[in-house]
Amino acid sequence: MLHSPPLFSRPTPTVSRRASSPLLPLPQSPHYARACSLIGVDCRAGQQALPGGEVLHWQTQSRRMPLLGTVSLLSRGPVASSPVEAEGWLRERRGTGPLLLNADGLSADALRRAGFWPLLTPATLGLLAIGPEAQMRGALRQKWRNRLARAEDAGLTLRRMPLLAKHWLLAAEAAQARARRYRNLPPGMLVAFARANPGCALIWEAQQGRLPVAAIAVLRHGRMASWTTGVSTPRGRAVNAMNLLVWEAMRWLAAQGHELLDLGILNDADAPGVTQFKLGTGARSHRLGGTWLRTRSLAPLARHLPKGLAT
């Protein structure tokens, strides 16, 4: 096990801040592709040079789906500096099979013109800018900051360690997801990510005495990182352990050179407390573009959909 460094230490940054390096969401990252390869999921990626030295990036996964056959899934891509370039790539793409798109940064009108049919309404994510410690602490909402202060005085012991299949967090998260009826990255994918990307899948754990009371898992992928998993026991909630874990992860990731932490979906209807917790970090709400499907047969009809049916 790796013990966390003192709370206010500053490890040497390990992530390049080059402007040419794009902010790639987890499903668009080469780290994710390497994990998919380990579990037998085919991923294909490509880049396209754009004017001004910018690069458009895309990455798809192939899945077998009932009635549709082999479908390419493009999640939160293509990644480009402007929606115009992404829209142009979608219009010009010449794929032989169906394309399922979890859109990000693309308008409904543009997707309809590119021949996509709307399937699911957009979700909203919490995206947290990370950087200087004073700046991050200043962005915390007052209640969140107060709970963090109480957690810092609660005598908790923190440990940071590589994500391993045997850690109690993975089984506890799977049980929590079943009980609360939400979907998350399965433990097998987290373990595959850790195996394929050494040092990029980490767990922060809080203990009271020798008893674990809370833990989170974070995946690092380039300039971005994603908080994918978190469980707190009743004792952990009583001492606000989750606040301290997320804060320590924020500080450590910033010191490593990461710039953006994806906190996952905000769902007020099913988990208002979780949404408030995520936004309390100073994160902004980021609305995705919904789930869309393009097939050769549906594309002509999709281009003539009434605007009200394409949102």
Side-chain angles (χ1 to χ4, degrees):
M1 298 296 185
L2 295 179
H3 290 267
S4 177
L7 283 179
F8 299 102
S9 67
R10 283 288 182 182
T12 303
T14 60
V15 176
S16 170
R17 293 181 181 271
R18 292 177 303 156
S20 58
S21 174
L23 284 166
L24 295 178
L26 179 61
Q28 288 298 305
S29 69
H31 305 71
Y32 193 80
R34 289 191 286 268
C36 285
S37 179
L38 280 186
I39 61 174
V41 176
D42 180 39
C43 276
R44 298 184 180 184
Q47 293 184 339
Q48 177 180 323
L50 300 173
E54 298 288 341
V55 175
L56 179 144
H57 173 93
W58 59 268
Q59 181 165 282
T60 62
Q61 307 164 46
S62 294
R63 301 285 178 90
R64 291 284 301 178
M65 300 185 68
L67 302 179
L68 294 174
T70 300
V71 177
S72 295
L73 170 62
L74 178 60
S75 185
R76 297 182 64 184
V79 178
S81 58
S82 166
V84 175
E85 283 89 3
E87 292 165 10
W89 183 88
L90 287 174
R91 287 195 303 271
E92 296 167 7
R93 179 183 180 273
R94 296 291 182 263
T96 57
L99 176 62
L100 189 65
L101 173 68
N102 291 330
D104 189 357
L106 295 162
S107 70
D109 285 346
L111 291 166
R112 180 169 46 83
R113 289 194 300 269
F116 284 86
W117 192 276
L119 296 181
L120 297 175
T121 56
T124 300
L125 303 176
L127 297 180
L128 175 64
I130 52 180
E133 184 176 319
Q135 178 179 312
M136 292 192 298
R137 190 176 280 272
L140 299 176
R141 293 187 179 179
Q142 187 63 52
K143 287 184 178 179
W144 210 99
R145 190 184 300 116
N146 292 342
R147 288 170 180 159
L148 172 61
R150 290 196 291 270
E152 289 173 327
D153 293 334
L156 295 171
T157 299
L158 300 189
R159 298 193 302 169
R160 186 184 70 248
M161 65 199 78
L163 187 148
L164 299 174
K166 63 183 180 181
H167 194 278
W168 64 267
L169 172 62
L170 301 190
E173 164 70 15
Q176 179 175 273
R178 288 193 298 270
R180 298 181 183 178
R181 297 183 179 180
Y182 66 83
R183 297 182 64 184
N184 207 348
L185 282 177
M189 184 60 179
L190 297 178
V191 173
F193 188 98
R195 288 178 54 201
N197 304 282
C200 292
L202 300 171
I203 286 176
W204 275 263
E205 180 185 84
Q207 293 185 348
Q208 194 174 52
R210 295 185 178 181
L211 181 68
V213 295
I216 62 172
V218 175
L219 306 183
R220 305 169 63 201
H221 42 98
R223 293 162 58 199
M224 287 186 68
S226 295
W227 173 27
T228 64
T229 308
V231 172
S232 184
T233 68
R235 185 175 294 189
R237 289 191 289 273
V239 294
N240 304 295
M242 194 65 72
N243 296 72
L244 186 57
L245 288 175
V246 172
W247 172 247
E248 174 63 5
M250 290 163 55
R251 294 181 60 257
W252 190 87
L253 291 167
Q256 295 297 307
H258 297 280
E259 300 171 37
L260 192 67
L261 179 60
D262 186 339
L263 302 179
I265 293 177
L266 306 178
N267 191 333
D268 290 310
D270 295 338
V274 175
T275 294
Q276 292 170 11
F277 178 89
K278 291 178 178 180
L279 293 178
T281 63
R284 63 180 174 87
S285 298
H286 176 70
R287 187 174 173 83
L288 299 177
T291 301
W292 299 70
L293 175 67
R294 184 172 70 182
T295 67
R296 185 174 297 177
S297 59
L298 287 177
L301 296 174
R303 295 186 181 100
H304 297 285
L305 274 176
K307 289 187 177 181
L309 295 179
T311 55

